[in-house]
């Protein structure tokens, strides 16, 4: 047996299916056995393997045993001359296994090797070649010197960023997502240390391989793509905690004799863990800090204004510390209780609710603490100024950070790479998806001679030779590869060459039921619409939208009248006149400012007919109206309405 491949799977059936499909051409001419060790997946992985890959040997664990224990089950069963530990969220190049086996055959001193590993955006995954965390390396990593001087041999020893990724060389450690080890080496040192549940076991194994007298190598001649972290996304375990616990275990196991090393690394782990926590909660911290600043500045300005307008002398010095801390803590505390501080959004409504509640509570408390009841005018003015401040900074943040706006953040400008029937099928399924909005920018062919031809009414806009130029000119956000048109080797070559574009690359499954990418898996079949709960159908959202309609209609009536009479004949004037006729219907509730082009007869509520909507600013033919209306109903919020309205005005005034 030439090769044993061991794959530990946990709830990533789409990635696993794509990987197994890529293994088929990669193992041609190689005597191979494949083991899938499943850690109690509940996503239907078992059905996929049994139906589509009956040659794969499987072990179905009843619980999640972790990466190390599961791999050891496969290692004990392996009979190949070489053993490959492989993550399920990877895709192999057709030549990967041949190159790696040849390398191992020609370098007897090498006990373990890994290949070049790419991120989905084409950049190098730094973990595929690393140094051990010794004293100096640890200090540079913890202090940030390695990030400040990535090309320095002195400071960048951990991720080896100063070394050429297009050369092969000996390294301390490689990535656990692709590790090829000789069977004789495994027999000599044993499997992975099962004290490591997740993370760190790859560093530990590399360390033990070298302690046994063998070398560990990074091989650049072949490459794979790794969609890093997919299993941890679908697990209930705390992956951040596991990562730092694994590092702590590694340090204690191999560097316990060096107290300085352990102290440095323990400090680094604590700092990194804290930074990771702060980064995950960065929006919570931002909201809290800015609210405190705004509130206390509002209190200061209110004090100055009342002092200027009356004979009051201001707060006595002894009370200042209490006055500038207790009210703001009361306000933020109530905000925390009602859920104002969230890690993924900033709420204007909840901030105003917190202001009302804390105002009522603060004015009540002054009855019991009369020594601090100096001026109710200051309290009232403070909350008026603070509330305005809360609204202003939140609105600025929402637009600057692109929060709560699925249209701005989620409108997908897609290129499909391929021109065959499979590429056509991918495009058809994307365009037919009713719950997502895709803009098909065109197709990319393998041959320049196909450029200019039509597929599904869309143009073949370029070839692989000029795909980078096409991406830039058309402002593409996603590139989807059809594996029916390109080999895995060609896909990786293209991805690697476009790593500076900063876009997402996705690969369609062989049966075209799904598309996998770094940020998500896109299923190409929609679930029944009656099972979907949309934003627009929620009672609270209907109330907010109705208030928005009334306010905006009253504002727009005089504005549109002025614009209509100042406009010359043409489409611009016709649209303005039409809007003016519809605004009374908005006020009486029979229409909406933003909504579908026509009222839908389906049981699913898609909103009242709108005087404008996505259909107005993104019109691409009658066949897309239904999809645009569903997308709007699914994602509707006040910020999306404001953007659609502003873009509608821009379109009218520009005469489009």
């Amino acid at each position: 047996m030439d090769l044993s491949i061991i794959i530990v799977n946990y709830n990533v059936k789409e990635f696993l299916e794509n990987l197994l499909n890529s293994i088929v051409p990669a193992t041609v001419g190689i005597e191979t056995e494949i083991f899938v060790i499943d850690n109690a997946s509940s996503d239907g992985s078992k059905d996929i393997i049994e139906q589509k890959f009956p040659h794969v040997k499987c072990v179905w664990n009843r619980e999640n045993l972790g990466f190390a224990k599961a791999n050891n089950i496969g290692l004990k069963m392996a009979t190949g001359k070489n053993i490959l530990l492989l993550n399920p969220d990877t895709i192999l190049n057709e030549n990967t296994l041949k190159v790696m086996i040849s390398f191992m055959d020609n370098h007897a001193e090498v006990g373990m090797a890994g290949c070049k590993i790419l991120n989905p955006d084409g950049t190098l995954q730094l973990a595929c070649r690393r140094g051990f965390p010794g004293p100096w390396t640890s200090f540079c990593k913890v202090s940030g010197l390695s990030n400040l001087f990535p090309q320095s041999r002195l400071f960048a020893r951990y991720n080896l960023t100063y070394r050429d990724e297009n050369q092969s060389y000996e390294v301390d450690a490689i990535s656990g997502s692709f590790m090829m080890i000789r069977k004789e080496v495994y027999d000599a040192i044993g499997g992975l240390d099962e004290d490591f549940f997740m993370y760190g076991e790859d560093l530990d194994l590399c360390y033990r391989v070298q302690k046994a007298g063998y070398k560990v190598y990074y091989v650049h001649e072949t490459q794979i793509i790794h969609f890093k972290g997919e299993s941890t996304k679908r697990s209930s375990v705390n992956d951040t905690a596991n990562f730092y616990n694994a590092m702590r275990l590694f340090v204690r196991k191999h560097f316990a004799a060096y107290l300085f090393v352990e102290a440095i690394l323990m400090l680094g782990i604590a700092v990194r863990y804290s930074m990771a926590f702060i980064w995950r909660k960065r929006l919570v911290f931002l909201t809290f800090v800015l609210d405190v600043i705004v509130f206390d500045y509002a209190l200061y300005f209110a004090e100055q204004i009342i002092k200027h307008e009356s004979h009051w002398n201001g707060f006595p010095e002894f009370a200042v510390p209490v006055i500038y801390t207790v009210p703001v803590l009361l306000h933020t505390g109530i905000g925390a209780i009602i859920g104002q501080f969230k890690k993924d959004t900033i709420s204007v409504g909840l901030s105003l609710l917190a202001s009302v509640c804390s105002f009522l509570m603060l004015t009540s408390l002054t009855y019991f603490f009369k020594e601090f009841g100096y001026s109710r005018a200051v309290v009232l003015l403070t909350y008026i100024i603070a509330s305005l401040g809360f609204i202003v900074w939140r609105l600025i943040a929402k637009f600057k950070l692109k929060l709560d706006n699925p249209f701005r953040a989620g409108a997908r400008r897609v290129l499909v790479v391929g021109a065959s029937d499979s590429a056509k099928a991918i495009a058809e399924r994307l365009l037919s998806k009713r719950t997502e909005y895709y803009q098909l920018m065109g197709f990319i062919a393998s041959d320049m001679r196909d450029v200019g031809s039509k597929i599904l009414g869309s143009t073949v806009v370029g070839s692989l030779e000029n795909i980078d130029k096409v991406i830039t000119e058309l402002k593409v956000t996603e590139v989807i590869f059809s594996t029916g048109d390109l080999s895995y080797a060609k896909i990786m070559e293209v991805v690697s060459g476009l790593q500076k574009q900063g876009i997402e690359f996705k690969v369609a499954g062989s049966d075209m039921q799904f598309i996998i990418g770094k940020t998500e898996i896109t299923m190409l079949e929609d679930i029944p619409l009656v099972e979907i709960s949309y934003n627009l159908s929620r009672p609270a959202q209907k109330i907010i939208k109705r208030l928005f309609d009334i306010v905006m209609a009253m504002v727009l009536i005089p504005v549109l009248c002025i614009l209509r009479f100042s406009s010359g004949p043409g489409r611009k004037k016709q649209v303005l006149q039409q809007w003016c006729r519809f605004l009374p219907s908005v006020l009486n509730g029979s229409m909406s400012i933003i909504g579908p082009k026509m009222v839908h007869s389906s049981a699913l509520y898609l909103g009242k007919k709108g005087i404008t909507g996505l259909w107005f600013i993104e019109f691409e033919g009658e066949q897309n109206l239904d999809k645009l209306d569903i997308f709007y109903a699914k994602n509707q919020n006040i910020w999306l309405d404001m953007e659609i309205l502003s873009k509608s005005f821009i379109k009218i005034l520009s005469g489009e």
Side-chain angles (χ1 to χ4, degrees), residues 1-8 16 19-20 22-24 26-27 30-37 55-58 71 74-75 77-88 90 92 96-97 101 177-181:
M1 185 69 64
D2 297 322
L3 179 66
S4 299
I5 300 176
I6 300 170
I7 305 166
V8 175
L16 178 62
L19 169 61
L20 292 173
S22 74
I23 288 176
V24 173
T27 53
I30 302 173
E31 189 182 0
T32 309
E33 59 182 0
I34 303 172
F35 299 94
V36 170
I37 314 300
H55 62 285
V56 173
K57 302 173 183 178
C58 301
N71 264 303
L75 284 166
M77 300 166 63
T79 61
K81 179 181 177 183
N82 292 294
I83 303 172
L84 175 63
L85 305 185
L86 186 62
N87 271 23
T90 56
L92 299 187
T96 295
L97 301 180
I101 291 173
S177 59
F178 185 103
M179 305 177 81
M180 185 172 286
I181 183 172

Side-chain angles (χ1 to χ4, degrees), residues 534-537 605-607 628-636:
Y534 290 152
N535 283 356
L536 197 56
S537 64
Y605 179 71
L606 298 180
L628 288 171
D629 292 341
I630 291 174
F631 177 87
Y632 172 72
K634 179 182 177 184
N635 298 287
Q636 188 273 333

Side-chain angles (χ1 to χ4, degrees), residues 275-311:
M275 290 174 63
F277 175 79
I278 293 171
W279 180 250
R280 288 199 312 274
K281 304 286 186 179
R282 59 191 180 279
L283 213 52
V284 173
F285 288 108
L286 174 67
T287 305
F288 176 81
V289 170
L290 288 181
D291 276 2
V292 169
I293 292 172
V294 167
F295 189 96
D296 277 346
Y297 265 107
L299 180 57
Y300 172 77
F301 287 132
E303 180 189 9
Q304 300 307 311
I305 291 170
I306 299 301
K307 282 171 61 177
H308 184 268
E309 298 296 329
S310 67
H311 299 293

Side-chain angles (χ1 to χ4, degrees), residues 542 545-547 549-550 553 582-593 599 605 607-609:
K542 289 182 180 179
K545 186 168 178 59
R546 180 65 185 137
L547 292 174
D549 282 344
I550 293 171
F582 286 151
L583 283 176
S585 298
V586 173
L587 285 173
N588 67 31
S590 59
M591 287 184 67
S592 178
I593 297 287
V599 178
Y605 179 71
K608 300 173 184 175
K609 180 179 177 180

Side-chain angles (χ1 to χ4, degrees), residues 233-272:
K233 288 180 184 177
R234 305 169 193 215
S235 169
S236 60
V237 301
N238 186 331
D239 58 301
T240 302
N242 273 304
F243 174 78
Y244 290 112
N245 285 334
M247 291 300 295
R248 188 176 295 114
L249 178 60
F250 179 82
V251 170
R252 288 177 179 171
K253 180 176 179 180
H254 297 297
F255 294 101
Y258 304 95
L259 295 179
F260 175 71
V261 179
E262 185 172 8
I264 287 289
L265 283 179
M266 290 303 102
L267 174 63
I269 289 169
V271 170
R272 293 287 178 180

